[in-house]
Amino acid sequence: MPPDIRIVEHFPPGAIGSIVTLHARHYAEHWGFGSFFEAKVATELAAFSMRASSDDLVLTATDAEGVCGSLVLDLNDPESGSRGAHLRWFITSDRCRGTGLGRELMTRAMAHADALRDGRAWLTTFRGLDAARHLYEAFGFKLVHEAEGEVWGNKVFEQEFRR
């Protein structure tokens, strides 16, 4: 991981908007997602930030250009049930892909899940994000469900992974 990247366990001022922007720009450019997806990320991330607890894990990565990555481990998502911690808003900027930042964020998050949820965690994603899937599987996640859907505003094969 580059030495100029700093990871903090909170949302610095402006980080929530920057995380939404990272998602919106990346998924628009690479997957054709539009304003529905951006609004969904913004709404859900804002709702999380209003109910976040001290046992949740917020990881925000920054470099000289600003926010360059994020990962939230939501231990109190009411939809989680027995699935454990909900891994959410995991992204790195294009400029940081391949630097080890994603692996570092996952390492910290899974250590947190190990300590507080007996390692149980889950996430939703969609088919085609091969680099992310490889990373999830490297940390013990397994695909448990896949179906065509439009939860992100575009038709994709939605997937749920569990650890």
Side-chain angles (χ1 to χ4, degrees):
M1 193 174 80
D4 66 326
I5 295 178
R6 181 172 171 246
I7 300 172
V8 296
E9 293 187 3
H10 62 279
F11 294 122
I16 292 170
S18 295
I19 292 165
V20 171
T21 298
L22 277 175
H23 280 81
R25 289 183 177 158
H26 176 79
Y27 288 99
E29 179 181 339
H30 299 286
W31 294 93
F33 288 12
S35 60
F36 177 90
F37 175 75
E38 183 174 357
K40 180 176 177 58
V41 171
T43 301
E44 292 178 3
L45 184 55
F48 167 79
S49 70
M50 298 295 289
R51 68 165 175 78
S53 297
S54 60
D55 61 344
D56 294 320
L57 180 66
V58 172
L59 298 173
T60 306
T62 59
D63 63 9
E65 295 181 47
V67 172
C68 60
S70 71
L71 188 153
V72 170
L73 197 61
D74 184 351
L75 276 65
N76 299 286
D77 183 346
E79 295 183 25
S80 288
S82 65
R83 294 181 286 187
H86 190 177
L87 193 150
R88 311 178 81 180
W89 305 294
F90 178 38
I91 193 165
T92 62
S93 66
D94 287 340
R95 69 183 179 271
C96 292
R97 291 214 169 80
T99 65
L101 174 58
R103 183 166 295 279
E104 178 63 24
L105 294 172
M106 283 292 294
T107 297
R108 293 183 188 201
M110 293 306 95
H112 195 75
D114 290 345
L116 297 177
R117 288 296 182 268
D118 297 321
R120 289 177 296 112
W122 68 288
L123 63 95
T124 57
T125 187
F126 59 90
R127 186 190 298 170
L129 300 175
D130 298 333
R133 180 178 180 160
H134 177 75
L135 189 58
Y136 300 144
E137 290 174 338
F139 280 89
F141 284 87
K142 306 268 189 254
L143 178 65
V144 297
H145 180 73
E146 181 176 55
E148 191 172 43
E150 295 185 51
V151 73
W152 286 292
N154 282 19
K155 193 175 286 188
V156 293
F157 281 91
E158 300 165 358
Q159 300 174 321
E160 181 178 324
F161 284 81
R162 292 187 192 176
R163 176 181 191 255

